[in-house]
Amino acid sequence: MTDPAAIQPSELDQLPDRDPEETGEWLASLDAVTKAAGPHRAAYLMRRTLERAEGAGLALPKLLETDYVNSIPTAAEPAPEGDEALERRITAWNRWNAAAMVTRGSKHGVGGHIATFASAAWLYETGFNHFFRGKEGDGSGDQLYIQGHASPGIYARAFLDGRLTEAHLDHFRQEAGGQGLPSYPHPRRLPWLWEFPTVSMGLGPLSAIYQARFNRYLTSRGIKDVSQSHVWAFLGDGEMDEPEATAALGLAAREGLDNLTFVINCNLQRLDGPVRANFKIVQELEAQFRGAGWNVVKSLWGSAWDELFQLDTTGALLRRLREVPDAQVQTYQTRDAAYIRQDFFGKDPALVELAKLLSDDKILECFHLSRGGHEPRKVYAAYRAAVAHKGAPTVILAQTVKGFTLGSGFASKNANHQMKKLTVDEFKSMRDLLELPISDAQFADGVVPYGHPGADSPEVRYLQERRAALGGPAPARRTHAVAPLPAPADKAFASFDKGSGTQSVATTMAFVRLVKDLVRDKQTGRRWVPIVPDEARTFGMESLFPSLGIYSPKGQTYEPVDRDQLMYYREAEDGQILNEGITEAGSMADFIAASSAYATHGEPMIPFYIFYSMFGWQRTADQMWQLGDQLGRGFLVGATAGRTTLTGEGLQHADGHSPVIAATNPAALSYDPAFAYEIAAIVKEGLRRMYGEAAPGEDQDVFYYLTVYNEPMPQPAKPAGVDEGIIKGLYRFNTAESAGLTLPVNAARIQLVGSGTAIHWTLQAQKLLAEEWGVGADVWSATSWTELRRDALEADAALLRGEDRVPYVRRALAGAEGPVLAVSDYMRQVPDQIAQWVEQDWTSLGADGFGLSDTRDAARRHFGVDARSIVVAALAQLARRGEVPAAAVKEARERYGV
């Protein structure tokens, strides 16, 4: 028996034991079994007891790890539907054409990946034949996140069912005038097929979770009933090392997303070698997902292993499978039966005896071929269990062999991810293995032929019948036109035109006020999706809590501490706000799901995601690129923007570069508005462009990025005739004369161009220049440096085509006297985007370098962007032109302490 002194203290010692004698009997029984039958028998009995307890509904912690066997016993597997023989033929054709496509492409130097689909073929085929609902039935169908490197297999299937031609396959990884096939899933390049871009690994699983959650949100809010939609995410075991891949597992379990299934292809290999060379990735993932609250289904071994498990009367086989590291399992895949007998079975006397009952062919069948992910019956059982499970999401851990059916030169080789082609002899061996009717004569001139059984063949008819029964082809993206949303009443936007008088209002507050008005619109208000990562009060959004509610599938099961206050914290099942907690990545995944709902569900939604500007593009720029890839629409709002406006927060919060990152995204329309009326004009135009009647040739598949500031300032009235300039990116706000400033005759002139909060420093500088130096300055508001640059680049391209086109920035500044001095609260690279298209002398000021903790005035003086620094820079620019005395510059420096 176990020495009681060896038993470690536990949390149970804190609980009163109402019957210590009974407890002692149970412990003594366990000790007796351990002594008499061994620890493995004792562990078996304990696990059976825990299973019985769980089945009886007792509240006990679950085991995080089970044996290295299938979760569903062979005897419990449901009989698959359909015609397995035909499905094997279909899968064989798809395997062949996927490999042929990549091999033929290698002749053009474009390469491709073969081994991933070879390992995962049955994981896809079983779903396409029996589970994945198309978009032509009721609802929205299922959402499929296809593993990026498996795309050749999906193209091969689309070729078999007639959606692609040989010409398409021959232009894999080529543009071909719009007739080619992108290397990976990409809605912007193949918008009728792909819904979700997934090859930026880790983002697919994160997005899939939030897509499943957004489906629930749409249903709960009464926008559309998508309760029958199921989200399937196909992932690699190596991909799960990406932190984003597991970042939201807790959310999925907490909210009971049983409309979500992860299928992880556990071929034990990543791009350069084993995923867990010295460990076991399946067991690690099982513990991770179980611990997070997911339902876990393991499909590891094929039917050839059934005999081995029946022979394992001592548990030695299970113990050996648990201890063999993944890299050694991979080695067994490539070695002969003698090696496996010695290395695997030879470690335990009981296994030595078991192996004597097995032929070499049986051993090779088990260790080379028989995996759960390669047998349709095993995969079908796992999928059926997943869709039947209620109350939690499911992950299927399916063990496969990377490069399966591609021959010994590919299967389980460390380099197979980089291997782009098979030889003709390897193809012939593959043909024989798959039993395909392809003759040697079809390999003319060494070119691998595509294979197709014929449009009226039993295989194609079966494939198409199965898809028709499931609601149409898959994957597929809806491309039908969605009716434009009616424009909100002008009143919401016009209310900002008169300004705020003497009241100081931050542009952050102005934006929130605008949204508050827009969500009240009777026609479109319900389509707004406010998203915030636990900073709503920072941005003044708490007033939306009681009126809109915060979405929660459980509603509000408690009485909020601030229930007696006007702006109390209200959660609701039909809440409109998505308050995600401290996760910018999760919030962006929310935004992506909402921004593409017009295609995914045929329901245009208007997401706006407001965040600390420093923690938007810097942290999640990859997701913002994904947003552009997915043709998402909506408003990203970087609040507390700029490097010098967030007093005291220091370099980690001071954003001086987000517009630079945003400028690299072709789908992002980036604006840095200075005034409330500019925000209103930009949002109004954004709603028209993304959700209203599109102009001819206008790209609606864009999103808007606005920076807003937490610096309260008086908001001026909107000048006449500035709407075009606001949208295009530049307009003259005032002149020295219109500002009421007195100037000497023939005063030197300069153009001050500011964006965002910097406009206020330029206005102060305008006054100082006139009153203290006799210099006239006109002030311009640059609402978008990026849009000005984009227009100028398009003008340059037009000139190369022989078209006479002048960039808008040059037209806007035409005739403006003197040099141009541009100022922003960002690094100089932001305004310098347009320098080459400005005909006047150009210089810029900006906040380059790290931020610092100090007051706004001190920070601006440090970076040289405050009003007095602008004056010195303006005088220096004019002095270089001989328009003011050089001594004036020295005097200004000394006077202002610059």
Side-chain angles (χ1 to χ4, degrees), residues 564-886:
D564 57 341
Q565 298 178 18
L566 181 63
M567 292 183 288
Y568 68 96
Y569 194 85
R570 184 174 77 88
E571 296 187 80
E573 290 183 43
D574 61 350
Q576 193 164 350
I577 301 169
L578 292 172
N579 192 336
E580 288 304 352
I582 305 175
T583 168
E584 286 82 8
S587 298
M588 267 306 301
D590 262 338
F591 188 91
I592 292 169
S595 72
S596 52
Y598 73 92
T600 307
H601 296 298
E603 293 288 347
M605 304 299 288
I606 311 170
F608 85 87
Y609 165 34
I610 187 167
F611 50 87
Y612 255 101
S613 67
M614 183 66 166
F615 306 131
W617 287 89
Q618 175 168 297
R619 284 198 178 182
T620 58
D622 195 11
Q623 286 178 286
M624 289 158 177
W625 198 272
Q626 178 190 6
L627 168 65
D629 285 344
Q630 201 163 312
L631 288 75
R633 304 169 184 174
F635 295 96
L636 296 175
V637 183
T640 60
R643 181 146 279 164
T644 69
T645 61
L646 198 57
T647 54
E649 291 280 3
L651 64 89
Q652 284 192 318
H653 285 66
D655 178 17
H657 55 280
S658 286
V660 177
I661 307 174
T664 65
N665 192 309
L669 277 60
S670 180
Y671 285 87
D672 187 25
F675 305 122
Y677 67 77
E678 293 177 352
I679 291 173
I682 294 164
V683 171
K684 181 179 180 181
E685 169 64 9
L687 290 172
R688 182 207 64 78
R689 178 165 178 176
M690 294 185 291
Y691 300 98
E693 294 283 356
E698 187 173 48
D699 184 4
Q700 285 189 284
D701 298 322
V702 296
F703 61 92
Y704 281 67
Y705 171 56
L706 284 74
T707 52
V708 293
Y709 298 82
N710 71 328
E711 186 170 17
M713 300 292 288
Q715 295 296 323
K718 181 180 181 179
V722 299
D723 287 285
E724 181 188 27
I726 291 173
I727 302 308
K728 288 187 175 296
L730 181 68
Y731 68 93
R732 180 155 31 202
F733 175 71
N734 71 9
T735 64
E737 291 79 5
S738 68
L741 300 172
T742 302
L743 298 173
V745 178
N746 298 322
R749 203 87 183 181
I750 191 168
Q751 308 299 315
L752 301 180
V753 183
S755 69
T757 198
I759 201 78
H760 301 290
W761 322 329
T762 62
L763 289 169
Q764 295 167 22
Q766 179 190 48
K767 185 176 181 181
L768 288 174
L769 283 167
E771 293 178 350
E772 300 187 15
W773 305 98
V775 172
D778 299 343
V779 173
W780 298 70
S781 177
T783 55
S784 179
W785 308 102
T786 303
E787 286 305 290
L788 292 173
R789 176 179 176 83
R790 189 167 284 162
D791 170 82
L793 290 171
E794 291 171 358
D796 285 356
L799 286 173
L800 292 176
R801 296 192 299 267
E803 303 171 20
D804 188 13
R805 181 174 163 189
V806 179
Y808 174 80
V809 63
R810 186 169 296 166
R811 287 188 282 119
L813 289 170
E817 297 179 51
V820 171
L821 174 58
V823 188
S824 86
D825 202 17
Y826 295 94
M827 56 198 303
R828 290 176 62 183
Q829 187 175 339
V830 175
D832 284 349
Q833 292 179 84
I834 65 169
Q836 70 186 82
W837 292 281
V838 175
E839 293 182 312
Q840 294 87 344
D841 290 344
W842 171 275
T843 193
S844 63
L845 298 175
D848 287 75
F850 287 110
L852 70 161
S853 297
D854 215 319
T855 64
R856 288 187 179 119
D857 289 343
R860 286 163 189 167
R861 173 53 57 91
H862 170 80
F863 288 111
V865 293
D866 63 318
R868 289 173 171 78
S869 298
I870 294 172
V871 170
V872 173
L875 293 174
Q877 201 172 2
L878 290 168
R880 285 194 295 271
R881 294 163 55 94
E883 297 178 15
V884 300

Side-chain angles (χ1 to χ4, degrees), residues 231-406:
V231 178
W232 299 82
F234 288 85
L235 318 167
D237 46 2
E239 179 178 4
M240 300 311 293
D241 283 347
E242 291 284 4
E244 297 90 350
T246 55
L249 299 187
L251 168 74
R254 185 169 64 246
E255 299 203 0
L257 298 181
D258 50 26
N259 60 338
L260 170 68
T261 298
F262 276 16
V263 182
I264 303 182
N265 177 18
C266 298
N267 56 35
L268 314 184
Q269 288 183 251
R270 52 189 178 200
L271 308 189
D272 287 331
V275 179
R276 292 289 183 273
N278 297 296
F279 306 93
K280 301 189 79 63
I281 185 60
V282 168
Q283 301 300 86
E284 179 182 321
L285 291 174
E286 179 184 27
Q288 194 168 15
F289 278 87
R290 282 188 184 277
W294 286 54
N295 175 45
V296 178
V297 177
K298 294 196 290 191
S299 183
L300 307 181
W301 306 111
S303 55
W305 282 82
D306 290 346
E307 179 184 345
L308 274 68
F309 291 129
Q310 289 298 315
L311 294 172
D312 182 29
T313 58
T314 65
L317 179 61
L318 291 184
R319 293 194 296 274
R320 182 67 179 134
L321 287 174
R322 280 201 304 268
E323 70 188 21
V324 175
D326 284 352
Q328 192 63 20
V329 174
Q330 183 182 341
T331 296
Y332 293 149
Q333 177 68 33
T334 64
R335 304 300 290 270
D336 60 20
Y339 177 88
I340 298 171
R341 284 184 186 276
Q342 177 181 354
D343 190 86
F344 180 84
F345 292 98
K347 303 295 185 181
D348 186 302
L351 290 181
V352 172
E353 294 303 312
L354 188 153
K356 291 177 181 178
L357 305 175
L358 305 176
S359 67
D360 285 355
D361 286 345
K362 181 66 175 181
I363 288 176
L364 292 179
E365 180 186 14
C366 289
F367 284 84
H368 285 191
L369 303 175
S370 189
R371 299 291 187 274
H374 295 323
E375 293 196 10
R377 185 184 182 96
K378 304 290 186 185
V379 176
Y380 181 89
Y383 285 11
R384 184 57 66 197
V387 297
H389 188 80
K390 299 303 178 187
T394 293
V395 59
I396 295 170
L397 303 175
Q399 186 164 254
T400 67
V401 174
K402 193 168 185 178
F404 190 67
T405 74
L406 298 180

Side-chain angles (χ1 to χ4, degrees), residues 295-556:
N295 175 45
V296 178
V297 177
K298 294 196 290 191
S299 183
L300 307 181
W301 306 111
S303 55
W305 282 82
D306 290 346
E307 179 184 345
L308 274 68
F309 291 129
Q310 289 298 315
L311 294 172
D312 182 29
T313 58
T314 65
L317 179 61
L318 291 184
R319 293 194 296 274
R320 182 67 179 134
L321 287 174
R322 280 201 304 268
E323 70 188 21
V324 175
D326 284 352
Q328 192 63 20
V329 174
Q330 183 182 341
T331 296
Y332 293 149
Q333 177 68 33
T334 64
R335 304 300 290 270
D336 60 20
Y339 177 88
I340 298 171
R341 284 184 186 276
Q342 177 181 354
D343 190 86
F344 180 84
F345 292 98
K347 303 295 185 181
D348 186 302
L351 290 181
V352 172
E353 294 303 312
L354 188 153
K356 291 177 181 178
L357 305 175
L358 305 176
S359 67
D360 285 355
D361 286 345
K362 181 66 175 181
I363 288 176
L364 292 179
E365 180 186 14
C366 289
F367 284 84
H368 285 191
L369 303 175
S370 189
R371 299 291 187 274
H374 295 323
E375 293 196 10
R377 185 184 182 96
K378 304 290 186 185
V379 176
Y380 181 89
Y383 285 11
R384 184 57 66 197
V387 297
H389 188 80
K390 299 303 178 187
T394 293
V395 59
I396 295 170
L397 303 175
Q399 186 164 254
T400 67
V401 174
K402 193 168 185 178
F404 190 67
T405 74
L406 298 180
S408 59
F410 261 85
S412 286
K413 298 297 185 185
N414 280 337
N416 61 19
H417 186 77
Q418 304 301 329
M419 297 163 70
K420 311 299 184 186
K421 59 184 178 179
L422 280 73
T423 66
V424 169
D425 286 341
E426 287 173 325
F427 266 108
K428 289 179 179 179
S429 296
M430 182 181 177
R431 171 201 62 189
D432 296 341
L433 175 65
L434 298 176
E435 299 179 344
L436 292 173
I438 297 173
S439 67
D440 287 353
Q442 290 177 262
F443 290 84
D445 301 321
V447 177
V448 180
Y450 293 120
H452 199 292
D456 197 39
S457 64
E459 294 95 325
V460 173
R461 288 201 308 270
Y462 179 85
L463 181 155
Q464 293 174 341
E465 288 168 1
R466 292 304 308 146
R467 289 312 316 157
L470 288 166
R477 181 179 182 273
R478 277 197 174 96
T479 54
H480 62 266
V482 175
L485 293 181
D490 276 341
K491 180 181 179 182
F493 306 104
S495 63
F496 295 92
D497 290 354
K498 61 180 181 295
S500 65
T502 58
Q503 181 185 4
S504 292
V505 177
T507 52
T508 300
M509 296 300 102
F511 178 83
V512 171
R513 177 187 153 190
L514 174 62
V515 170
K516 285 175 64 177
D517 290 341
L518 292 175
V519 295
R520 295 191 186 105
D521 184 85
K522 292 182 179 179
Q523 292 183 292
T524 61
R526 65 198 294 263
R527 296 191 176 275
W528 283 84
V529 183
I531 303 168
V532 60
D534 200 35
E535 288 278 9
R537 297 182 191 278
T538 301
F539 309 134
M541 291 174 58
E542 65 269 28
S543 60
L544 298 177
F545 289 169
S547 57
L548 300 185
I550 300 164
Y551 171 73
S552 169
K554 289 185 175 294
Q556 194 155 36

